[in-house]
Amino acid sequence: GPVGQALARGGVVAGFEVLVLDDRDEFLRAELFPAGARVLRVSRDYREAFLAEFQGREISVAIVTRCWETDTAALAAILRQSPVRLAYVGLMGSRRKIARVKDEVAKLGLDLADQRLHAPIGLPLGGTSPGEIAIAILAELVQSRNAHGGERDGETKAAALASQGVG
């Protein structure tokens, strides 16, 4: 969706290694994303080992999907795929939606206790358009990367993953 697309563009510009995930082909068309961003089709339940290539690396994840069900599936998949080192995990949505996702993840037996979930995602800049929301998210990702000693030149320690699909 528009937020994921804008976030991918900004992530590439900010020097992140960007991987965009979605379960729908129409949202993964190459022309929607900048050069340097990779796209990967996953199932709606995010059961694929999409973080396997990042094992041993510190990564940042932005979850900006279309509904609480895919938010839950994406967050659960990320938590299951440890020992990826999560420098940042953010979830877009209302406080009610976020509470539901947390509850659903707990029902799956997964624990968020060791992971600070940035929710709602992004710095509070007050923006409402997809571009403004993406800038707020990207600002928080950069802030987190710099706090964790991430590199900006050469190898990037953090990979920004936009699990997207917001309409």
Side-chain angles (χ1 to χ4, degrees):
V3 173
Q5 292 164 21
L7 183 57
R9 285 190 298 276
V12 168
V13 169
F16 285 97
E17 181 179 341
V18 176
L19 174 64
V20 180
L21 308 168
D22 203 302
D23 63 318
R24 300 162 301 165
D25 291 330
E26 64 270 23
F27 288 97
L28 292 173
R29 295 188 327 269
E31 67 269 16
L32 298 176
F33 300 100
R38 294 183 300 134
V39 297
L40 178 66
R41 189 180 194 291
V42 294
S43 60
R44 187 174 165 95
D45 63 7
Y46 287 79
R47 291 286 179 188
E48 298 80 4
F50 55 86
L51 294 180
E53 68 183 276
F54 300 103
Q55 292 299 314
R57 292 178 61 195
E58 190 169 84
I59 67 167
S60 298
V61 180
I63 302 172
V64 294
T65 79
R66 64 189 175 276
C67 63
W68 70 266
E69 291 99 342
T70 50
D71 285 348
T72 300
L75 181 56
I78 291 159
L79 294 173
R80 282 187 192 111
Q81 292 188 49
S82 291
V84 168
R85 295 190 323 249
L86 296 170
Y88 175 96
V89 177
L91 176 62
M92 186 172 74
S94 67
R95 295 197 188 282
R96 182 175 168 214
K97 177 182 168 184
I98 291 163
R100 180 157 191 185
V101 169
K102 286 180 174 181
D103 185 52
E104 294 295 324
V105 166
K107 286 179 186 176
L108 294 172
L110 298 167
D111 187 13
L112 276 168
D114 292 338
Q115 179 58 51
R116 179 168 182 250
L117 180 65
H118 296 262
I121 195 172
L123 295 181
L125 303 180
T128 57
S129 72
E132 291 172 328
I133 293 167
I135 288 169
I137 295 168
L138 186 61
E140 193 170 51
L141 284 164
V142 169
Q143 181 181 57
S144 174
R145 176 178 64 190
N146 290 338
H148 286 89
E151 301 292 326
R152 282 180 289 210
D153 298 316
E155 284 284 319
T156 302
K157 289 184 183 176
L161 287 87
S163 182
Q164 69 124 6
V166 178

